[in-house]
Amino acid sequence: MRLADFIEANTQTILDDAVHFAVSQAPGGARLNIKRLRNDIPHILREIVADLRTPQSEAQQRAKSLGRAPVHLGPESAATSHGRSRADDGFGVNQMIAEYRALRASVLRLWAADDALVADVLGDMIRFNEAIDQAVAESLVEFSRTVESWRSVFLGALGHDLRGPLTAVVGTAEFLMDSVKDTPHARPAERILNGGLQLGRLVDGLLDYSKSTLGAGMTLQRADCDLAPAVTEEVELLRSTLPRATIALHVEGGTRGHFDDTRIREAVHNLVTNAAKYGAPSEEIRVSLKGEGERLQLAVSNAGAPLASEELNALFDPLRRGSQAANKGEHSSLGLGLFIVREIARAHGGEVAARVEGGSTTFVMTLPTKQDLSGDDARYVFA
């Protein structure tokens, strides 16, 4: 009996084996949906049977064995649904993959015990394994996407829940600052306030990151403005919050345009803070704002150990940091600062890049000064 015919004739037995194994693999506390489980596996088997009966070239077969079959068009595949459901049920990736191993073993064991094997058994077995490999790849993609989505939901919920107590901390610290002026308690109150403000920026970063990965967007309130005063004010604030850092500012050319100056200040803050963390402590941090016709460049440079090209390319990825973070014991940052800078640049229709020259690392944000706006407010949806 050909393998496709055998699977159709023995679907129930194969299903019972697979369900039993999945139940045994379920982690403690997992919300295993048995009904959905018994629905997913027959669909996967039907797609495998259809695949076995479809003529394919050697190139197509090899692509499947590597999990690189053409993107599935139309309704989602059974394997994709399976991957999402396992993530929703609380499975780990190893437990999900183990189901496919068990399904493969169950089918081949039952088929090997059948007395009616035919001469094409080897070819059928190869095709079956290729179909399983492709199903694993599709499941894994959707499983990973679903897990990442839930992680973003968690970060967003965490950031939202932290806002209430954090507002109380900052408000109380501001009250204390006013109450203990010119007393020995003024400095401790200032440290509490600065810590609360720093936590507030971290919470904002978490919310921006969770919005980006969930497909929401960053709201920009753009208006015709001059960025020079906004950047100057932010640099002055940074000088007070980073007293050990020497920060120089240079402004050149026309700096007016359609910008959200609050978001640009956030980008300046993130870039300078990053330079203070990872640059040489004794070296000056240089901030420059330069107008060049229809574009404007905001650059932040610092001297320090040079980064490898692969590290430079990864700096703007969320939840990633340079290797120097580990050497400096930097564990308080989630690595969202440069990611937020990149998204602020993109939101304005610009870009940001990093380069290393002469022992200095420079981040350059290039922004268009003119934009076609239908109103003062514009929404940018993260890519």
Side-chain angles (χ1 to χ4, degrees), residues 164-228:
L166 189 56
T167 299
V169 169
V170 171
T172 303
E174 289 175 339
F175 173 77
L176 287 175
M177 284 281 292
D178 293 336
S179 303
V180 299
K181 281 183 179 179
D182 302 321
T183 73
H185 303 296
R187 182 57 181 160
E190 182 182 1
R191 285 199 295 268
I192 294 172
L193 177 59
N194 288 338
L197 294 175
Q198 179 62 30
L199 284 173
R201 285 188 285 270
L202 177 58
V203 168
D204 290 340
L206 283 174
L207 291 174
D208 281 336
Y209 172 69
S210 63
K211 286 179 181 179
S212 74
T213 52
L214 289 172
M218 175 187 288
T219 299
L220 295 183
Q221 296 181 346
R222 294 184 289 196
D224 181 67
C225 63
D226 187 350
L227 281 187

Side-chain angles (χ1 to χ4, degrees), residues 307-317 320 342 354:
L307 293 172
S309 58
E310 59 270 18
E311 286 185 304
L312 276 177
N313 293 333
L315 283 176
F316 298 102
D317 292 341
R320 292 282 299 274
R342 185 187 70 184

Side-chain angles (χ1 to χ4, degrees), residues 27-61:
R31 308 177 305 277
L32 185 59
N33 188 322
I34 299 297
K35 182 178 179 181
R36 182 164 59 183
L37 175 61
R38 298 190 72 90
N39 285 337
D40 283 345
I41 294 173
H43 285 304
I44 293 173
L45 290 173
R46 279 197 290 271
E47 290 187 357
I48 290 174
V49 167
D51 182 88
L52 287 170
R53 290 173 173 162
T54 301
Q56 292 175 0
S57 67
E58 289 186 9
Q60 289 173 317
Q61 289 182 235

Side-chain angles (χ1 to χ4, degrees), residues 83-84 86-88 90-93 140-154:
R84 183 175 60 256
R86 289 303 172 273
D88 288 339
F91 274 52
V93 64
L140 187 56
V141 167
E142 189 62 26
F143 180 93
S144 301
R145 184 182 294 119
T146 303
V147 169
E148 182 60 32
S149 177
W150 280 116
R151 183 181 292 118
S152 299
V153 168
F154 168 76

Side-chain angles (χ1 to χ4, degrees), residues 6 113 152 156 280 346 354 368 376:
F6 179 83
S152 299
R346 289 180 175 179
D376 285 344

Side-chain angles (χ1 to χ4, degrees), residues 1-325:
M1 183 182 294
R2 297 298 296 267
L3 182 53
D5 300 327
F6 179 83
I7 291 174
E8 283 188 333
N10 294 273
T11 296
Q12 190 59 50
T13 303
I14 297 169
L15 175 60
D16 291 341
D17 267 8
V19 169
H20 176 75
F21 182 81
V23 171
S24 71
Q25 284 287 300
R31 308 177 305 277
L32 185 59
N33 188 322
I34 299 297
K35 182 178 179 181
R36 182 164 59 183
L37 175 61
R38 298 190 72 90
N39 285 337
D40 283 345
I41 294 173
H43 285 304
I44 293 173
L45 290 173
R46 279 197 290 271
E47 290 187 357
I48 290 174
V49 167
D51 182 88
L52 287 170
R53 290 173 173 162
T54 301
Q56 292 175 0
S57 67
E58 289 186 9
Q60 289 173 317
Q61 289 182 235
R62 176 169 172 76
K64 279 195 314 173
S65 70
L66 298 174
R68 298 174 183 170
V71 177
H72 186 86
L73 301 176
E76 72 172 356
S77 69
T80 299
S81 174
H82 172 265
R84 183 175 60 256
S85 67
R86 289 303 172 273
D88 288 339
D89 287 339
F91 274 52
V93 64
N94 290 332
Q95 292 156 328
M96 185 199 72
I97 298 300
E99 285 189 67
Y100 282 101
R101 294 203 307 268
L103 181 61
R104 187 198 314 258
S106 176
V107 170
L108 294 179
R109 175 176 52 81
L110 292 170
W111 190 42
D114 184 65
D115 293 330
L117 293 180
V118 295
D120 293 319
V121 58
L122 183 59
D124 282 355
M125 188 179 299
I126 292 172
R127 289 286 303 276
F128 173 71
N129 281 307
E130 291 165 353
I132 286 287
D133 290 335
Q134 178 60 32
V136 168
E138 292 179 14
S139 283
L140 187 56
V141 167
E142 189 62 26
F143 180 93
S144 301
R145 184 182 294 119
T146 303
V147 169
E148 182 60 32
S149 177
W150 280 116
R151 183 181 292 118
S152 299
V153 168
F154 168 76
L155 289 175
L158 176 64
H160 183 271
D161 290 346
L162 283 174
R163 278 192 176 279
L166 189 56
T167 299
V169 169
V170 171
T172 303
E174 289 175 339
F175 173 77
L176 287 175
M177 284 281 292
D178 293 336
S179 303
V180 299
K181 281 183 179 179
D182 302 321
T183 73
H185 303 296
R187 182 57 181 160
E190 182 182 1
R191 285 199 295 268
I192 294 172
L193 177 59
N194 288 338
L197 294 175
Q198 179 62 30
L199 284 173
R201 285 188 285 270
L202 177 58
V203 168
D204 290 340
L206 283 174
L207 291 174
D208 281 336
Y209 172 69
S210 63
K211 286 179 181 179
S212 74
T213 52
L214 289 172
M218 175 187 288
T219 299
L220 295 183
Q221 296 181 346
R222 294 184 289 196
D224 181 67
C225 63
D226 187 350
L227 281 187
V231 172
T232 300
E233 186 176 346
E234 187 62 33
V235 169
E236 288 298 325
L237 179 62
L238 285 161
R239 286 170 177 157
S240 64
T241 56
L242 300 171
R244 297 182 180 179
T246 302
I247 308 172
L249 172 64
H250 176 73
V251 179
E252 179 183 347
T255 55
R256 293 196 69 87
H258 282 92
F259 307 110
D260 182 335
D261 57 355
T262 300
R263 285 292 188 179
I264 298 300
R265 288 187 59 165
E266 182 181 357
V268 173
H269 178 92
N270 289 349
L271 289 172
V272 173
T273 301
N274 182 77
K277 283 181 180 179
Y278 305 127
S282 60
E283 297 294 332
E284 181 180 72
I285 298 171
R286 300 174 298 281
V287 181
S288 67
L289 186 66
K290 183 178 181 181
E292 298 178 334
E294 295 188 354
R295 68 175 187 168
L296 179 146
Q297 283 195 342
L298 171 66
V300 176
S301 301
N302 66 279
L307 293 172
S309 58
E310 59 270 18
E311 286 185 304
L312 276 177
N313 293 333
L315 283 176
F316 298 102
D317 292 341
L319 309 182
R320 292 282 299 274
R321 295 173 294 184
S323 60
Q324 296 177 67

